[in-house]
Amino acid sequence: MALNIYEMDPKVYDEYINTKIEQINFDRVFSVIRNFSKNKNKIKILDLCCGTGIFPFKWLSQLDNVEYTGVDINKRFIEYAKKRLNKNKSYSFIVKDAVEVKLKDKFDIVLATSSYHHIVDKDKQKFLQNVNYHLDADGLFIVYEKILAPFNNKIQAVQSGTIFYLERIKDMLGKEKLNENQLFALFNEQYLTSIRKGEYKVDYAYFVNDIKLAGFKLVKAIKLWPKKNIFNNLHVGDFIFIIKKINIDK
């Protein structure tokens, strides 16, 4: 069986998030949340595919008005997240499939950081409909995603995923020294993306159309990486998408 970063020690995934490019990207995600939370007594955040809980631990915990619920299907990741935040009663974690989970509450923010691409294509619409179900009418759906060049078959998918990560790894190596775990995580993610196993990344048009079908409107797309048009396609790279519900009653 092929090695998979998501089946390994949660600390390996944490090391990957501790690379400079991911730190910069998550800083930007946090700035969107911080601006939204200003002058609010409390904001309720649902984090789907929350992983090891590194984002609430390192970023969200800087805010004192957050009530957070993290959901992930990976039991080991959730156990790890609980241990690092077990003293903070404002943070709770649930082992559940993000496509299937149903909670009683509505949330001001539904957060999907590198989540959408873990959902198989046939379930992506169901996942987005579940986001819509949990999001308050005036809430924000915040997505951080790696967007690939378009592809139409398995061979093109391999090419799209391979080229994306080769450029990403080259850029990262030029800016920082990566340890063995970080390099493994990057090349493993390249492999899983290319063969579409556990990583089901899509192109920009696919994503935008998918959120529209689920009853959302794209408010803003923020390009994080790369700053130069190295892919000859401005819609390839790391993006933050700020999304709202289409409220028919308004």
Side-chain angles (χ1 to χ4, degrees):
M1 185 174 67
L3 287 175
N4 186 324
I5 183 177
Y6 305 106
E7 298 171 357
M8 300 176 70
D9 190 320
K11 292 179 181 179
V12 177
Y13 182 79
D14 270 12
E15 285 190 58
Y16 169 54
I17 299 300
N18 274 322
T19 54
K20 287 183 180 179
I21 189 171
E22 294 293 346
Q23 294 283 309
I24 291 169
N25 291 353
F26 277 99
D27 280 347
R28 193 67 185 274
V29 173
F30 178 61
S31 72
V32 173
I33 296 172
R34 183 174 52 201
N35 289 337
F36 179 81
S37 68
K38 284 181 179 177
N39 304 317
K40 295 181 186 292
N41 292 328
K42 181 176 71 173
I43 57 165
K44 297 177 70 173
I45 297 177
L46 174 63
D47 189 356
L48 295 175
C49 304
C50 66
T52 62
I54 190 169
F55 184 69
F57 179 69
K58 291 192 68 173
W59 281 274
L60 290 180
S61 59
Q62 299 175 47
L63 303 176
D64 58 8
N65 60 344
V66 169
E67 184 178 305
Y68 171 97
T69 302
V71 176
D72 202 285
I73 201 169
N74 189 320
K75 185 178 180 181
R76 291 181 70 193
F77 279 18
I78 288 293
E79 289 175 349
Y80 190 77
K82 283 181 176 179
K83 287 179 181 178
R84 72 194 332 172
L85 283 158
N86 62 357
K87 294 181 180 180
N88 195 324
K89 295 182 180 180
S90 296
Y91 292 80
S92 61
F93 295 90
I94 302 168
V95 179
K96 202 77 176 179
D97 187 340
V99 175
E100 303 291 344
V101 66
K102 284 290 185 293
L103 305 174
K104 294 179 180 180
D105 295 340
K106 298 292 183 182
F107 294 84
D108 302 296
I109 292 174
V110 176
L111 187 62
T113 56
S114 297
S115 305
Y116 175 80
H117 68 243
H118 285 302
I119 311 300
V120 296
D121 292 346
K122 69 180 181 63
D123 288 338
K124 279 182 166 62
Q125 191 58 213
K126 189 176 179 181
F127 169 76
L128 292 172
Q129 293 287 352
N130 203 24
V131 173
N132 198 317
Y133 171 84
H134 287 98
L135 186 64
D136 186 77
D138 295 315
L140 286 186
F141 178 29
I142 303 173
V143 177
Y144 162 39
E145 264 300 323
K146 298 174 179 70
I147 300 294
L148 302 184
F151 53 87
N152 296 310
N153 54 53
K154 289 183 178 180
I155 294 174
Q156 290 179 7
V158 169
Q159 182 179 33
S160 181
T162 300
I163 290 173
F164 180 94
Y165 275 96
L166 282 177
E167 292 296 336
R168 188 180 183 84
I169 293 166
K170 284 192 321 186
D171 188 43
M172 293 173 72
L173 287 172
K175 295 174 179 176
E176 63 181 307
K177 184 177 180 179
L178 301 176
N179 64 37
E180 288 187 9
N181 281 341
Q182 290 167 333
L183 282 169
F184 166 78
L186 282 162
F187 280 108
N188 186 242
E189 202 167 68
Q190 178 192 44
Y191 166 69
L192 295 174
T193 297
S194 299
I195 67 167
R196 298 184 69 73
K197 180 182 178 181
E199 297 268 356
Y200 309 98
K201 296 182 177 73
V202 299
D203 63 83
Y204 191 95
Y206 186 112
F207 175 78
V208 171
N209 184 63
D210 220 19
I211 63 171
K212 287 181 180 178
L213 289 173
F216 292 109
K217 60 181 178 181
L218 178 60
V219 177
K220 191 174 184 179
I222 303 169
K223 181 78 172 287
L224 300 169
W225 175 89
K227 299 301 182 184
K228 296 180 180 179
N229 189 16
I230 59 177
F231 296 108
N232 296 316
N233 184 338
L234 293 173
H235 283 154
V236 176
D238 298 359
F239 286 84
I240 294 174
F241 297 102
I242 300 173
I243 300 163
K244 287 192 173 183
K245 277 186 171 185
I246 298 173
N247 294 320
I248 299 174
D249 296 335
K250 289 191 175 183

